[in-house]
Amino acid sequence: MATQYAIEGATAKGIAASVERGIAEGELTPGDALPPVRRLADELGVSPGTVATAYKELRQRGVVVTRGRGGTVVAAAPAVASRRPPRVPEGLRDLAAGHPDPAFLPDLLPPVRLSPGARSHRTMPRLPHLEDTVRGWLAEDGVPAGHITFAHGALDLVARVLTTELRPGDAVAMEDPGYHHLLDLIQALGLRTVPVAVDDEGIRPDALREALRAGARAVVCSPRAQNPCGGHFSRRRRDDLLAVLREAPDVLVVENDNAAEIADAPLHSLTGGDGPPPRWAHVRTVTKYLGTDLRWAAAACDPMTLARHDGLLLLTSGWVSHLLQETVHGLLADPATRERVRQARDAYAERRTALRTELAARGIPSHGRSGMNVWVPVRDESAVVNGLRTRGWWVAAGARFRIASGPGVRITVAGLRPAEASRLAADFAAVLDEAQATYGG
C-alpha cells in the first residue's frame, strides 16, 4: 500500500478529490492500493459509508478498480501517450502513419455558393442537398437512412454517442487489435475496454458473446477495412454477429465504416440482415479518400440515438460548418473525384495484395483482406521495427493497437508501389532471421 500520500477530506467528494489530486501529482501511481474503507474512515474521523461513497464514485469514473480481496487500487493510467506514434526518423520510408497516398486525393477548393453573413445553422444544421446525397450513399449499401446526422469526424461522433448512452466505468467491447485512437478515446471518456478478438472476417462471434457476458454495454466495430488487420464481414459473419447481439438487445452497436469507398470489399452491415439492433449507429467519414483536413462524418442511427446525439451537439459545438458541408458535397457529387477515389481503391488493393504475396512467398503470414493496411504477427515487435529501420523502412509497432492480443506490426501500403513489395518482404524475412539467430526465435 502507498504510504507516502495522506488522503484527506471530510466528505465523499473531498476524499475522492484528494485521491485524484494524489494521482495527478504522481504521489499515487497505477496499482497503488488505497486504505481499506474502515481504516481510512477512522483516520479521517468520518463514517465508513462516506469513504465507501467516495470509492464508489472513483470506481464509476474509472479512477480506481476493486480487486476483491486485493482491495481498491489505482487504475492503470490511460495509455494515450504510449499509443501515440513516435516521430518518423529522418530519411526513412514511412509505412506507419496510416495516411492515404496524396496522389489520389482531390484538390480541396472552397465552395463559392455560400454568401457572407449570418446563417441559421441551429434551425438548419445539415444542408438538405448533402443530407440527400448521404441518404443515397448509405442506401446503396443497404444501410437504413431514415435518420442521419453529421459531426466533426468519426471520433467526434462516436464520442458523443457513447457519452449520451454510457456512464464512466461502463464497459465497451472493442476490437483487439483495434484502431488506437478509438482505444484511447474509450479510456479518455472514463469507460472500460473489453477486448474482442478479430480474424480476417472482423470481430469473432464467440469473443463478442464473452464480452457481452462480461458486461459490455456497447460494441464498437468495423464492418470492413478493419484497422489494423484489414478484416471485413462476410454475410455469414454478419448474421452470426446479429444472432449474438439479439441475446443483448439493450447493447448499443456502433459501426465505424471509416474507409467505405476504398475498402475494396462489399458492406455486410449489422444494420442489414433481418434488421438493425434496437440501438445502433453506422458511422462514415471521408478523410481517407477525400482529404485528411475534412473533419466531417455522417451517421445513420436509430431515432433515440439521433435525438441524444443532436441534443448534445447543439449544446456543445452547435453544428457542423456549412462551408465544410458544401465542400464535402461538392466532392461527393464530382465525377472526377469519384473516379480518383475508384483509382485509389484499386491501387490500394493491388499494393496490399503485392506485399502479402511477397511475404507469403517467404513463409511470412499476414492479414489484410481490405483497406490499406497489412498486419503481420511477429514474436518481437521491437526487433522487427528496429531491424526494418536499419534497412530504411518505418513500420508501426503493434503495441498501440493491442489490448490482450499477440504482438505484430502494421504496415500501411497506401504509398508502397508493387515493385517495392519484394524488397520490403526480403528485408522483413532477413530481420526475422536475425531475430531468431539472436534470441532463439
Side-chain angles (χ1 to χ4, degrees), residues 8 20 54 95 109 123 203 262 295 353 356 364 379 413:
E8 302 174 341
E20 289 198 78
L95 302 178
L109 300 177
T123 58
I203 57 174
I262 55 169
R295 311 310 299 177
T353 300
R356 296 193 65 204
I364 304 172
R379 292 186 179 182
V413 300

Side-chain angles (χ1 to χ4, degrees), residues 197-395:
V198 301
D199 58 23
D200 288 337
E201 294 186 68
I203 57 174
R204 289 171 19 197
D206 59 329
L208 176 60
R209 180 176 282 107
E210 288 302 313
L212 297 179
R213 288 174 177 171
R217 294 193 55 207
V219 179
V220 180
C221 61
S222 303
R224 52 185 172 180
Q226 193 272 343
N227 190 353
C229 295
H232 66 83
F233 293 168
S234 64
R235 181 176 285 104
R236 179 172 180 177
R237 172 60 57 87
R238 185 268 315 276
D239 293 343
D240 289 345
L241 291 171
L242 283 173
V244 173
L245 290 169
R246 279 194 286 271
E247 301 170 10
D250 295 332
V251 169
L252 171 68
V253 178
V254 180
E255 278 191 334
N256 181 26
D257 194 17
N258 69 93
E261 299 304 298
I262 55 169
D264 187 42
L267 178 67
H268 297 294
S269 171
L270 295 174
T271 67
D274 295 330
R279 301 302 309 281
W280 62 278
H282 177 91
V283 183
R284 287 194 182 180
T285 185
V286 295
T287 54
K288 296 297 185 185
Y289 45 92
L290 295 186
T292 54
D293 281 332
L294 294 178
R295 311 310 299 177
W296 172 88
C301 45
D302 67 89
M304 185 181 297
T305 298
L306 174 77
R308 291 181 174 179
H309 172 275
D310 285 3
L312 185 57
L313 177 67
L314 183 66
L315 294 172
T316 53
S317 55
W319 61 83
V320 177
S321 160
H322 282 187
L323 184 66
L324 174 59
Q325 291 187 50
E326 285 288 8
T327 301
V328 171
H329 179 264
L331 292 170
L332 290 177
D334 178 46
T337 297
R338 292 201 299 271
E339 173 60 21
R340 187 173 293 191
V341 171
R342 185 196 63 77
Q343 292 172 0
R345 180 199 65 202
D346 294 346
Y348 297 159
E350 180 184 18
R351 295 170 186 184
R352 191 180 64 244
T353 300
L355 177 60
R356 296 193 65 204
T357 299
E358 293 290 348
L359 289 171
R362 292 162 176 81
I364 304 172
S366 64
H367 303 276
R369 297 179 61 197
S370 60
M372 58 186 193
N373 295 303
V374 170
W375 177 262
V376 187
V378 298
R379 292 186 179 182
D380 188 330
E381 293 177 2
S382 296
V384 171
V385 171
N386 291 327
L388 289 175
R389 175 178 180 175
T390 65
R391 289 165 168 79
W393 307 103
W394 186 246
V395 301

